[in-house]
Amino acid sequence: MSKFKAATTNRGKWNAIQMKQAVMYVLDGKLTLKCATEKYNVPRSTLHDKIKLLKSGKEIIFKPKLGRYEDTFDEKFPHELYNHIKKMDDRLMPLTKMEFEIG
């Protein structure tokens, strides 16, 4: 018997392209919210949230995001940190583990 069980939810499994099309059709008035969710197979609450943000003038991202926390650093930060550490090592000033500890 397996120790871990597989995920049983469909959260975050919607397609970004279908979500974008659903938002366009609802904003243009060609489809209702309910019809768009059924036609494009996207969650109704997520579609409603995206439309609400667009109507209030905010920018939206068509990518599933689970959880309430946001990334602190962007995707290029680890690469920049690695390059900085390599440069310091090349200058004979290597960083030690003690310098990375917090507090």
Side-chain angles (χ1 to χ4, degrees), residues 5 7 14 17-18 23 30-31 46-47 53 58 63 68 75 90 96 99:
K5 72 178 190 180
W14 48 270
I17 296 169
Q18 290 177 331
V23 167
K30 296 178 182 176
L31 288 175
T46 306
L47 179 60
L53 286 172
K58 296 182 180 173
K63 179 181 169 187
R68 62 181 179 191
E75 295 173 0
D90 291 342
T96 63
E99 294 170 328

Side-chain angles (χ1 to χ4, degrees), residues 57-68:
K58 296 182 180 173
E59 186 178 330
I60 61 171
I61 299 172
F62 289 103
K63 179 181 169 187
K65 177 185 171 272
L66 298 176
R68 62 181 179 191

Side-chain angles (χ1 to χ4, degrees), residues 3-67:
K3 186 176 180 180
F4 303 105
K5 72 178 190 180
T8 58
T9 181
N10 289 331
R11 292 183 66 205
K13 303 273 191 220
W14 48 270
N15 187 344
I17 296 169
Q18 290 177 331
M19 179 64 77
K20 191 179 286 190
Q21 291 174 342
V23 167
M24 282 184 0
Y25 278 107
V26 172
L27 287 176
D28 290 342
K30 296 178 182 176
L31 288 175
T32 63
L33 190 73
K34 184 177 180 181
C35 290
T37 59
E38 292 171 357
K39 182 176 179 180
Y40 292 103
N41 196 23
V42 294
R44 183 187 295 183
S45 59
T46 306
L47 179 60
H48 179 266
D49 292 343
K50 301 284 183 195
I51 291 170
K52 186 177 175 183
L53 286 172
L54 274 175
K55 285 184 177 179
S56 68
K58 296 182 180 173
E59 186 178 330
I60 61 171
I61 299 172
F62 289 103
K63 179 181 169 187
K65 177 185 171 272
L66 298 176

